[in-house]
Amino acid sequence: MNGNAHPIAPLDASLLKITHVETLKPVPTPGTYGFGDIKTDYMLVMEYTAGSGWSAPEIKPYGPLALDPASNCLQYCTNVFEGMKAFIGPDGKARMFRADQNMTRLVSSAERMGLPTFDPDALLKCITALVSIERRWIPAENGHSLYIRPTMIGTKASIRVGKSDSALLYTLVTPVGPYFPISPAIPHPTLAGVSLLAISEHVRSWPGGTGGYKLGLNYSPGFVPQTLAAQEGYDQVLWCLDVGKKPEEGAVISEAGAMNFFAVLANEGSDGGITIVTPPLDGTILPGITRDSALQLLRAHADSLSTSSTSPFSSPLHSGSGPISVIERPLSLSELAQAAQAGRLLECFGTGTAVLVVAIERIGYYPLSKTTAVPIDSEHTENTPKITDIVMKGGLKGLGQVGKALYEKLGALKDGSEEWNGWNVVCE
Ligand SMILES: *Cc1c(COP(=O)(O)O)cnc(C)c1O
């Protein structure tokens, strides 16, 4: 705490202390672990106490937390989090991608939850120090990275319903491979795709709700619908906002699992152009940093077609010579189905830190798949569309031209192979 004028201590990165472990754990071989299970040597922890403010941040041996059973986070889910990654580049340096954006989003989630806030730059400095000390855990293999999970929980020890005036802000890291396991039959992630089941009877978010924030309580209610999708032979739920309608009647597309949703449509008429659509940030959509990065890159490319500016992409994003429009607007399932029927649905993909960009191969409607008896080839479930599925033009081939260009560009920007807008920052 510094001085009498300011009794509430701000989060101060210069106070960071490091407590070393006695024995370092062995780092497992990439390819032998899934997503999010490995525990590393260290974690970063800081505490906010009502009246005195933030404690000195500490990097210390990874281990269990001690919480009062009445803790606000255990009773009323005052849990907010972030998801970001560190990559090893071809130059051997560790980098994080637009991490300042994750810090700002964590502050906004904390504010929405009534949790104490903090200086985002101070937290980023401490996380950078954690990544540096855990550097040997960052896998350099293609498609691998160190996933970083800043977490903030309300620790007020009272079952009284109300906001928490104390909190724990901690960060753990874990080495990860591809989020969706790639089968040996598929040699490259850009060739893999996921299937989605549009479900109308459960919604992830709603107008005036909290879907635009990364709050833990937005995710657990999706676990059962996710099981339903899996039972029907789909990888993820396509969240739709049905506002009193059934999906086949025109519910609006929200998100694909925990990814933002993009569709690429060939324009009607003869201009030979394409339109890239993603739902707008109306409060029901999580403002993904991958989504924002994709929009900025695609808009820079679209501008380069009509002005003399240079495109971030070195090859064209579609085979025609027409214009490219990049639009944030509501997109209904029925519009998507009609476009697919007319052969204008070129591709759909999901974006997010965990996957980067992943192809969506087909979309089923839950009410229809329930009533339509279509035999499923259990050995090749992913590759056998039901007759009621929305399927992309050209069939099931993984990422299309736009998704593939984004996947490659974002990958190159994230590991530092390429630079744009100062988006990646070296951790050392
Ligand atoms: C985290 C998240 C995303 C992706 O956000 P990124 O910043 O791109 O990782 C999309 N949708 C939901 C619901 C999310 O929780």
Side-chain angles (χ1 to χ4, degrees):
M1 215 187 292
N2 61 348
N4 311 322
H6 230 290
I8 301 293
L11 183 56
D12 185 349
S14 71
L15 301 178
L16 178 68
K17 54 182 179 190
I18 298 176
T19 306
H20 287 276
V21 296
E22 279 172 17
T23 325
L24 294 172
K25 296 173 187 167
V27 174
T29 315
T32 61
Y33 45 78
F35 194 96
D37 301 326
I38 305 290
K39 311 291 161 30
T40 65
D41 295 304
Y42 292 99
M43 59 183 184
L44 166 71
V45 182
M46 53 205 78
E47 228 178 304
Y48 183 95
T49 318
S52 47
W54 287 102
S55 67
E58 184 181 5
I59 290 174
K60 62 185 201 178
Y62 186 95
L65 306 169
L67 291 176
D68 190 291
S71 292
N72 193 280
C73 62
L74 300 176
Q75 302 293 335
Y76 305 118
C77 301
T78 40
N79 303 344
V80 308
F81 68 95
E82 266 309 317
M84 47 209 272
K85 282 178 170 178
F87 297 82
I88 292 286
D91 58 1
K93 290 184 177 154
R95 285 178 179 81
M96 289 191 286
F97 182 75
R98 305 189 70 190
D100 56 318
Q101 301 289 312
N102 295 91
M103 299 298 100
T104 316
R105 195 168 62 187
L106 186 60
V107 169
S108 96
S109 297
E111 274 172 347
R112 180 62 187 84
M113 265 303 182
L115 287 170
T117 59
F118 52 88
D119 172 7
D121 293 336
L123 180 61
L124 186 52
K125 282 198 185 103
C126 298
I127 290 177
T128 305
L130 177 68
V131 171
S132 296
I133 199 171
E134 293 289 59
R135 196 188 177 290
R136 67 190 195 97
W137 289 92
I138 313 177
E141 281 69 14
N142 190 21
H144 288 65
S145 56
L146 188 70
Y147 187 86
I148 305 165
R149 172 52 64 89
T151 310
M152 191 169 179
I153 59 177
T155 51
K156 183 175 184 165
S158 166
I159 57 166
R160 186 186 170 87
V161 178
K163 69 181 196 173
S164 182
D165 56 6
S166 60
L168 200 63
L169 172 52
Y170 62 92
T171 301
L172 58 93
V173 296
T174 178
V176 294
Y179 190 82
F180 294 108
I182 296 161
S183 86
I186 303 167
H188 192 268
T190 56
L191 295 176
V194 297
S195 54
L196 305 178
L197 182 60
I199 291 180
S200 62
E201 51 199 72
H202 305 284
V203 293
R204 192 195 87 87
S205 61
W206 50 89
T210 56
Y213 303 92
K214 260 182 139 65
L215 315 183
L217 56 76
N218 288 343
Y219 300 85
S220 39
F223 299 162
V224 167
Q226 169 61 37
T227 310
L228 208 84
Q231 278 165 2
E232 296 286 314
Y234 295 83
D235 295 309
Q236 294 278 309
V237 174
L238 179 61
W239 298 108
C240 300
L241 256 182
D242 62 356
V243 210
K245 294 181 192 162
K246 293 209 163 61
E248 71 273 22
E249 292 167 351
V252 172
I253 291 171
S254 177
E255 294 198 49
M259 301 181 286
N260 292 116
F261 182 91
F262 283 78
V264 182
L265 306 166
N267 290 349
E268 278 174 300
S270 58
D271 73 355
I274 60 168
T275 301
I276 303 166
V277 186
T278 191
L281 300 181
D282 60 358
T284 65
I285 305 290
L286 195 288
I289 295 157
T290 320
R291 173 191 182 278
D292 179 70
S293 307
L295 286 173
Q296 289 196 44
L297 289 165
L298 293 171
R299 285 183 172 139
H301 180 78
D303 286 350
S304 77
L305 299 181
S306 55
T307 65
S308 56
S309 60
T310 44
S311 167
F313 299 98
S314 49
S315 44
L317 294 187
H318 68 121
S319 36
S321 57
I324 297 181
S325 314
V326 184
I327 305 180
E328 293 167 78
R329 67 160 169 84
L331 180 64
S332 72
L333 261 179
S334 55
E335 179 187 349
L336 207 66
Q338 278 162 21
Q341 228 147 39
R344 293 196 303 110
L345 184 59
L346 302 181
E347 55 184 299
C348 293
F349 52 86
T351 64
T353 295
V355 295
L356 213 51
V357 181
V358 75
I360 294 161
E361 293 195 324
R362 61 191 178 98
I363 298 168
Y365 297 151
Y366 182 52
L368 290 185
S369 73
K370 245 195 337 197
T371 55
T372 315
V374 181
I376 297 177
D377 172 352
S378 60
E379 233 185 302
H380 303 101
T381 306
E382 302 95 336
N383 292 327
T384 311
K386 300 181 183 185
I387 51 166
T388 52
D389 283 354
I390 297 174
V391 181
M392 310 313 127
K393 184 179 161 87
L396 313 169
K397 284 193 300 213
L399 285 172
Q401 227 172 324
V402 175
K404 188 160 180 286
L406 275 175
Y407 177 85
E408 285 168 358
K409 175 60 63 177
L410 287 167
L413 292 174
K414 288 194 164 196
D415 76 5
S417 308
E418 291 180 31
E419 292 283 339
W420 202 65
N421 270 359
W423 274 355
N424 56 45
V425 179
V426 174
C427 291
E428 274 95 343

